[in-house]
Amino acid sequence: MDTAHASASALAPARAPAHDLTPSRASRTPTRPAAGDVHVWFVRPPRPGYVPRSPGADAGTASDSGLPAPDSGFTAPDSGLSVAELRRAASFARAGDGDVYATAHAALRRLLGGYLGLPPAGLTFVREPCPGCSGPHGRPAVVQTDDAPTLHFSLAHSRGLIAVAVAPRVIGVDVERLPSTGTVEACARALHTRERAELAAVPPEERQAYFGRLWTRKEAYLKALGTGLSRHPRIDYLGADLRRRPALWAVLDLPAGPEHTAAVAVDGARPDRVTVRWLPAHRPGDGPAAPDAAYGSTTDRSPR
C-alpha cells in the first residue's frame, strides 16, 4: 500500500463534519484553517515524463546540481522542489513513480507556502521526534517563522491521486486506490480481530471498498501518531464501531471518487468542518496558470 477520534464520540454521535464540494472562486492565497477546521486538497498526478532522470550533485542548488534544465522537468524555480527532492524524484526506477513524488511534494510546497506567506522553495522541513524511540524520524513538520499557531500537515499518494491535509492540530491523511481481491485477502490478516470479522461479514462484491476504507483510516491514524506502520496495524481498531476506536482522536472517511478511498485523522475532538478541494497540478510547459489556478476550488466530485 502506498504512502495524512473522538472515537469517544463514543458518548453520543457527533454532528457529521461538512464536506465542502461546492464550486467557488478561490483566493490565490489560502486562509489558514480555523481551530475546528481541516483542509484537504486532492491533486491528480501528471502524465509520465516530467521528472528529471539524471542524478544531481551532492550539494548546491538546482542550477548547479547537474540536474536537467527547466524545460526537461521539475526544477526548484519552477516547482519549489529542493535539490534533495529532485534527486529523490529522479532516483525512482519507474518514471511514473518519480512523477507522482515530484508532483506531491511540489503541491505540498505550493500549499504550505500559500498558507504561511512564504515562497515554496523557501520552506524548510524537519522531522519531529519519534514517539516510540525519540529518534528524528517522527511526523514531518515545516519550520515556521511567525508567531501564528503551528500549522500541521500530512501528505499521501496512491496510484492516480495525491492528498494533502492541513490543520492547526496534529493530523494524518491517507489515500489508496481500491485494492484487488488478492490484496484484500493477503492484507486482511494484518487487521484488528474485530475488523477482520467486520470484513468477513461484508458481501464479497463490497469487500474491496470496505477494506480500502478500513486501511486508509488505519494509515491516517498511524501517520498522525507519528509511528507509521512501525506500529502494527492490528493493534488499533478503526472499524465501524466508533465506541471502540482510539480515544481522543477523530478519524473520518473522505470523499475521493469511485477509484480511491481516503481518510483523515486529527488529534482531539471531531472537526467542525472538513473542506475538500482539488488543486491543479502545475507542470512545466503547461503555460501560465489561470488567475485562481494556484489554489483552485473543487469543481469535480471525483477524478476523471
Side-chain angles (χ1 to χ4, degrees):
M1 293 289 185
D2 295 320
T3 13
H5 337 226
S7 74
S9 301
L11 305 178
R15 178 175 63 84
H19 295 296
D20 181 5
L21 293 171
T22 305
S24 64
R25 289 183 66 81
S27 167
R28 178 164 287 276
T29 301
T31 303
R32 290 196 190 205
D37 291 357
V38 169
H39 291 180
V40 178
W41 298 84
F42 285 129
V43 186
R44 298 186 187 94
R47 61 186 181 276
Y50 288 101
V51 179
R53 314 283 357 131
S54 302
D58 291 335
T61 65
S63 60
D64 63 14
S65 66
L67 293 168
D71 60 357
S72 60
F74 285 101
T75 67
D78 185 46
S79 65
L81 294 176
S82 68
V83 171
E85 288 166 330
L86 288 167
R87 188 180 300 118
R88 174 71 187 279
S91 71
F92 286 88
R94 293 190 306 175
D97 293 338
D99 293 344
V100 173
Y101 174 89
T103 303
H105 286 261
L108 177 65
R109 283 181 172 273
R110 290 167 62 200
L111 285 166
L112 294 181
Y115 281 114
L116 298 174
L118 297 170
L123 299 177
T124 299
F125 293 97
V126 295
R127 285 279 183 174
E128 296 179 353
C130 170
C133 67
S134 299
H137 48 259
R139 287 184 297 266
V142 62
V143 175
Q144 296 184 212
T145 58
D146 57 20
D147 296 326
T150 301
L151 190 68
H152 296 270
F153 70 89
S154 184
L155 172 67
H157 50 83
S158 186
R159 287 174 297 161
L161 192 60
I162 295 162
V164 177
V166 180
R169 50 178 161 156
V170 169
I171 190 167
V173 72
D174 189 51
V175 61
E176 303 286 347
R177 192 173 181 89
L178 288 180
S180 66
T181 54
T183 296
V184 173
E185 292 172 2
C187 295
R189 67 193 69 176
L191 297 175
H192 186 281
T193 303
R194 291 183 182 276
E195 293 170 342
R196 291 202 303 271
E198 290 178 12
L199 183 65
V202 171
E205 66 273 14
E206 298 177 15
R207 284 180 190 159
Q208 290 165 270
Y210 195 90
F211 176 86
R213 290 192 295 273
L214 274 173
W215 196 264
T216 52
R217 289 178 208 145
K218 195 170 291 286
E219 285 219 41
Y221 171 65
L222 294 177
K223 290 170 74 172
L225 280 182
T227 63
L229 291 173
S230 65
R231 179 179 174 90
H232 201 287
R234 74 167 57 99
I235 295 175
D236 304 290
Y237 171 83
L238 276 303
D241 189 346
L242 298 182
R243 297 169 300 175
R244 297 183 180 277
R245 292 189 186 178
L248 305 179
W249 289 86
V251 182
L252 307 168
D253 295 334
L254 296 171
E259 298 180 348
H260 295 82
T261 55
V264 66
V266 291
D267 181 20
R270 190 182 184 95
D272 296 325
R273 186 176 184 83
V274 178
T275 302
V276 179
R277 297 189 181 95
W278 289 84
L279 178 71
H282 175 66
R283 298 176 290 235
D286 281 352
D292 295 321
Y295 299 100
S297 292
T298 299
T299 55
D300 299 322
R301 291 176 180 265
S302 62
R304 293 188 181 90

